[in-house]
Amino acid sequence: MSHRVVITGLGAVMPNGNNPEEYRDSLLAGRSGVGPVTLFDPATLPTRIAAEVKWPGELTEGTDRKMCFAAEAARQAFAQAGSSGSAPRGGGRLALGVGLEIYDIAAWAETKKPGFEMPQEHAERMKFVHMPSDLSAHLISDQYGFDAPPLVMISTCAAGLDAIGSAFREVASGRSQWMMAGGTDTGINTMGMTAHCKLGTMSTR
């Protein structure tokens, strides 16, 4: 049996808008989110511009920016879904897309410095060794009380769309009553930008 699927809430954290309304207005006005790279020094690269998210707060959800983006977009979507007075509950599941599954670059670099010691607390140690997408998925699943294991897609540029498509199929088939779905990533770092410069996919204009 095929169930009707509807979208009841949206969330967006983008280079040209930190919520769906700002993002929509930027698109309609033709405002780009591209500008000089500020997250690291790109002086040795042929490309020194990128579309950075202008994140206004601290990195409250771990040390990786993609976790903050995922948590904030989820918060916006869930709030909108419950704005009519009836929030979704029970039978939910998360589908999360992440472009590349890599450790936090800054944290990884710290392990190579003389005198580095792993965190002693068990919880902090587990946070350190887990991949950011693992932490993002479980952070959101725990916060919204999902009662099924999260679906995590690691498929580069198609990851977010894969997650949304998977969520559609879960609801349409009746396997899940409702889904939270989307994608998150942070590719503006030395490894990510160097790789794309080597591939010739970055603009030098």
Side-chain angles (χ1 to χ4, degrees):
M1 178 179 178
S2 180
H3 296 261
R4 186 182 180 207
V5 182
V6 296
I7 298 170
T8 59
L10 297 173
V13 178
M14 302 287 188
N16 54 351
N18 279 346
N19 58 58
E21 293 75 25
E22 287 181 6
Y23 180 53
R24 176 203 60 209
D25 292 345
S26 291
L27 293 178
L28 293 175
R31 284 194 296 271
S32 171
V34 175
V37 171
T38 65
L39 296 175
F40 71 98
D41 184 1
T44 60
L45 298 178
T47 296
R48 297 166 194 170
I49 58 171
E52 293 182 356
V53 169
K54 286 72 176 175
W55 184 248
E58 298 293 324
L59 297 180
T60 54
E61 309 295 351
T63 59
D64 196 294
R65 283 161 57 89
K66 69 168 66 70
M67 293 175 63
C68 291
F69 302 162
E72 173 59 15
R75 184 197 67 76
Q76 294 174 16
F78 195 83
Q80 192 177 96
S83 60
S84 63
S86 177
R89 62 175 61 88
R93 193 177 193 184
L94 173 69
L96 179 68
V98 180
L100 292 174
E101 179 56 294
I102 57 175
Y103 288 104
D104 175 74
I105 299 299
W108 188 41
E110 287 295 317
T111 68
K112 306 304 177 185
K113 293 182 178 179
F116 172 81
E117 294 183 5
M118 283 289 290
Q120 296 303 308
E121 293 292 330
H122 179 71
E124 291 302 311
R125 186 177 288 252
M126 291 305 293
K127 280 185 180 180
F128 188 86
V129 300
H130 267 66
M131 299 287 191
S133 68
D134 297 338
L135 292 174
S136 296
H138 291 293
L139 172 79
I140 295 171
S141 292
D142 289 346
Q143 183 170 355
Y144 297 100
F146 297 132
D147 49 15
L151 302 173
V152 180
M153 287 72 183
I154 311 296
S155 48
T156 61
C157 299
L161 187 59
D162 282 346
I164 294 170
S166 296
F168 173 86
R169 289 192 293 272
E170 283 286 307
V171 175
S173 67
R175 290 192 294 267
S176 297
Q177 293 181 34
W178 67 279
M179 296 285 296
M180 181 180 284
T184 187
D185 210 348
T186 46
I188 306 175
N189 50 58
T190 52
M191 182 180 288
M193 282 196 62
T194 299
H196 278 284
C197 285
K198 288 286 188 183
L199 290 170
T201 57
M202 303 289 286
S203 173
T204 56
R205 293 173 57 189

